[in-house]
Amino acid sequence: MPEKKQGSSDKVVGGNVDITRRTFLHKSLLTGGAIATGSAVGFFQTLSSMEVANAAGESFSFAWVSDTHLYPQTLNQRFIDKATRAFGEVQAMGSEFDFMIFGGDLAQRGDPVELELGAELLKEVTIQKHFIPGEHDWYLDLGEAWNQHFGESPWSFEHKGVLIIGLDTVGSAPDYWSARGMTPKERMGHMEALDGSQAGPWSGLGSKNRQWLSSALSDWPKDAPVIIFSHTPLWECYAPWNFWIRDWRQVHEIIAPWQNITNVHGHVHQPLYNEIGGMRSIGMLATSWPWPYAPQGVPEITKPMLRVDPGDHFDGVGWGKLSMADGYMDNEYMMWREQVFGTTRADSGTGDNQNQVLSPRIADRGWTGD
Amino acid sequence: MLNTKTKGLLALVTVVVCVSLAFAFMVNRASAHKVAHDSETLQAFTDAFMEQVIRGDNLFHGGTEPGINLSNTGMACAMCHPFSSDIHPHEFPKFQEQMSEFATLRDMINWCIEKPNEGEIIDPDGEQMKALEAYMYWSNRGSVLDPGRH
């Protein structure tokens, strides 16, 4: 695994962790706190961003782009156009950002042509870039091309008083291919379908990465801020779509002593927010397309996105701008539409979940190879 | 005026057609629900249904069949609708906003094929449409019928 990298500042912040009003409102809603629910909801839902706390430290901003899911250009220009737009906007605002994180799923089928296309498009962004892989980047050649282009994960560095960690949550899937004699293309094909039955609980850190995480955190002050980037969320949102890491309980045991952790993740293609212990978790947009929300719904403290128009390729997608200013980190969804969140059943992306009983797909359950 | 020979021929044809229709009607009536269903028969019905569900599942997840082209973008239905979610087949027919008209599930399936997927619409009464419909309903079984809901 790569050595721990050192960022542009080695300053360690040991001040108290503050909580912004918005985050406080989250907690109040979750626990039935003292604030009147009606007014809290009314205020909360007028906001288009979520703040997380860091009471001290220098200001900085960074950009998040993920889930471009590029096909070869001969097959799909649409996803190229959207990735290009995101990278162009990041570059146009480049002077505001200390770095950009690409959060995985650059490619759709792990095809070297797709990864090379992505690498070419990413040249548009000239600020410092960091990368973590997604499953679509990985399972054709088990990460070989990805690592050649974008380097290995996990990694960490300190930046202006914040420990920044990039995890690999995709590369340690239990082997579902060898016993069945799958070709690399077949292995990738089963990984490609979010709702497939064969790839199983592929998302996780695994023991090696958990040991690395424990080591990376070991000398960091317990009250100092940590940002963990991961492709998949570090909590159990919806296991059948791998909206989780399978070993989240073990990971939470590792991170429990640190009380100011922000997990920023991709994969879900939707605004998603949760708080567990000292960790807050923010789901980011894709540039490619939005996933529907998980069938069982979302945490109460998530503001669901507005329903999107499937006829508009640029609707419900975008990138993220995260700023640490005046001691607080603010996440702004740079969605390519005016209104981000839905507040009524008719407008909410979760509005129909209450009358939707779903079954896992069936056609791939008896798959034995062609 | 028809001559006697022609009249006789017409009468014969009429009798033959009527007898044939009556026979066909009687045969059809006699072929269903005249005896209690045994488990093998019920299983055969289920198998016939599930065969179409699996066929629809494959098409929904990017499978192809001769004579149709569901997508020209690489995208499959399941990429926006894992587990067939966010389709809500039980809420059709309804006014469909994207189409600005009252629409059936089959209308919406063809809209998605043509617009987001940039494929070629399929016969609304064809085998593939029925299979896609079967998969969507099967995936959403247990949801409450609520036609017209947005």
Side-chain angles (χ1 to χ4, degrees):
Chain A
M1 287 182 184
E3 293 297 317
K4 189 172 180 176
K5 294 189 285 189
Q6 298 298 311
S8 57
S9 170
D10 294 329
K11 182 180 178 183
V12 174
V13 177
N16 293 330
V17 174
D18 200 356
I19 298 175
T20 72
R21 182 159 60 145
R22 298 174 203 188
T23 302
F24 179 68
L25 289 174
H26 292 166
K27 290 180 182 300
S28 297
L29 289 169
L30 186 63
T31 60
I35 290 181
T37 303
S39 61
V41 169
F43 173 70
F44 178 67
Q45 291 180 339
T46 63
L47 304 173
S48 64
S49 61
M50 300 172 191
E51 288 186 351
V52 293
N54 173 29
E58 301 172 50
S59 300
F60 68 93
S61 297
F62 60 93
W64 167 284
V65 183
S66 72
D67 296 281
T68 51
H69 290 269
L70 298 170
Y71 287 99
Q73 188 163 20
T74 50
L75 179 58
N76 184 313
Q77 180 64 39
R78 183 191 306 171
F79 289 176
I80 296 174
D81 292 343
K82 293 191 273 192
T84 300
R85 177 171 173 174
F87 295 146
E89 290 177 357
V90 170
Q91 179 62 17
M93 299 171 67
S95 59
E96 296 184 26
F97 301 131
D98 284 16
F99 58 87
M100 186 193 95
I101 170 81
F102 187 86
D105 282 354
L106 181 65
Q108 170 64 13
R109 295 170 177 164
D111 187 331
V113 172
E114 297 168 349
L115 291 170
E116 286 163 15
L117 172 62
E120 191 64 30
L121 296 179
L122 278 157
K123 289 179 181 174
E124 169 71 14
V125 180
T126 57
I127 58 175
Q128 188 180 24
K129 297 184 285 279
H130 302 282
F131 298 88
I132 53 173
E135 78 278 11
H136 287 259
D137 304 315
W138 199 266
Y139 280 92
L140 184 66
D141 61 3
L142 299 179
E144 187 176 336
W146 171 269
N147 284 340
Q148 285 175 0
H149 279 292
F150 307 110
E152 295 180 24
S153 304
W155 43 259
S156 71
F157 60 91
E158 298 173 27
H159 187 73
K160 297 182 178 177
V162 179
L163 177 61
I164 296 178
I165 292 173
L167 293 177
D168 168 14
T169 60
V170 304
S172 61
D175 184 348
Y176 61 89
W177 54 90
S178 296
R180 294 183 172 116
M182 291 184 190
T183 66
K185 195 172 180 181
E186 289 166 342
R187 176 179 60 209
M188 184 64 234
H190 283 288
M191 185 61 75
E192 192 182 343
L194 184 78
D195 59 353
S197 304
Q198 297 300 313
W202 52 260
S203 175
L205 284 192
S207 59
K208 191 176 176 183
N209 283 322
R210 289 198 305 272
Q211 287 173 13
W212 180 92
L213 177 62
S214 185
S215 174
L217 285 166
S218 61
D219 59 353
W220 190 250
K222 302 295 189 293
D223 57 353
V226 180
I227 298 175
I228 302 179
F229 296 120
S230 59
H231 181 65
T232 44
L234 301 182
W235 58 284
E236 183 175 0
C237 174
Y238 190 60
W241 297 347
N242 277 279
F243 284 11
W244 75 336
I245 50 173
R246 63 183 179 277
D247 48 358
W248 64 269
R249 290 180 182 83
Q250 293 154 287
V251 170
H252 284 215
E253 285 179 10
I254 293 170
I255 66 176
W258 284 267
Q259 287 303 302
N260 188 6
I261 293 179
T262 303
N263 171 218
V264 184
H265 65 84
H267 185 59
V268 297
H269 299 200
Q270 61 197 218
L272 187 66
Y273 186 80
N274 201 9
E275 296 174 357
I276 300 175
M279 184 191 81
R280 58 188 68 82
S281 181
I282 307 172
M284 304 302 287
L285 303 175
T287 65
S288 51
W289 77 90
W291 286 120
Y293 280 105
Q296 91 283 5
V298 295
E300 191 176 358
I301 52 178
T302 284
K303 290 194 297 180
M305 67 190 290
L306 201 75
R307 288 188 198 220
V308 300
D309 177 4
D312 178 359
H313 307 155
F314 287 87
D315 196 22
V317 294
W319 53 285
K321 173 187 174 186
L322 297 102
S323 305
M324 189 160 280
D326 299 326
Y328 297 96
M329 197 171 96
D330 181 80
N331 167 43
E332 184 175 359
Y333 291 113
M334 305 298 280
M335 191 184 281
W336 296 320
R337 57 148 54 231
E338 186 175 346
Q339 190 177 348
V340 175
F341 301 110
T343 57
T344 66
R345 186 185 192 276
D347 290 325
S348 169
T350 61
D352 281 308
N353 281 344
Q354 55 199 277
N355 180 22
Q356 182 178 245
V357 180
L358 299 174
S359 295
R361 67 173 304 206
I362 188 171
D364 66 344
R365 292 185 203 172
W367 191 91
T368 56
D370 295 320
Chain B
M1 294 292 289
L2 299 176
N3 60 32
T4 304
K5 188 176 179 181
T6 302
K7 286 180 180 175
L9 190 58
L10 276 174
L12 180 61
V13 168
T14 302
V15 169
V16 168
V17 168
C18 289
V19 169
S20 299
L21 286 173
F23 182 73
F25 184 63
M26 290 169 62
V27 168
N28 282 340
R29 282 177 60 99
S31 66
H33 300 290
K34 293 303 183 190
V35 294
H37 295 98
D38 56 25
S39 59
E40 289 79 9
T41 303
L42 293 174
Q43 185 60 49
F45 294 164
T46 300
D47 290 346
F49 172 65
M50 290 309 297
E51 181 182 349
Q52 295 308 311
V53 169
I54 291 170
R55 182 181 184 180
D57 184 336
N58 281 320
L59 291 170
F60 195 82
H61 286 81
T64 57
E65 291 186 6
I68 62 168
N69 180 14
L70 300 181
S71 175
N72 277 316
T73 62
M75 293 193 72
C77 311
M79 290 172 68
C80 292
H81 301 285
F83 287 177
S84 204
S85 63
D86 258 16
I87 292 175
H88 313 116
H90 46 286
E91 295 179 358
F92 285 91
K94 63 181 172 182
F95 180 82
Q96 189 63 43
E97 195 170 358
Q98 288 82 11
M99 303 165 69
S100 294
E101 64 182 29
F102 182 70
T104 66
L105 177 61
R106 294 183 184 191
D107 293 333
M108 192 63 206
I109 291 170
N110 260 338
W111 184 90
C112 279
I113 291 170
E114 186 177 33
K115 304 295 183 186
N117 279 8
E118 298 178 12
E120 295 160 18
I121 61 172
I122 58 178
D123 180 354
D125 295 318
E127 292 182 18
Q128 290 88 2
M129 179 64 85
K130 291 177 182 175
L132 282 166
E133 188 181 60
Y135 173 64
M136 293 176 198
Y137 279 123
W138 175 84
S139 297
N140 281 267
R141 68 195 188 283
S143 304
V144 176
L145 195 63
D146 192 11
R149 166 77 68 185
H150 175 71

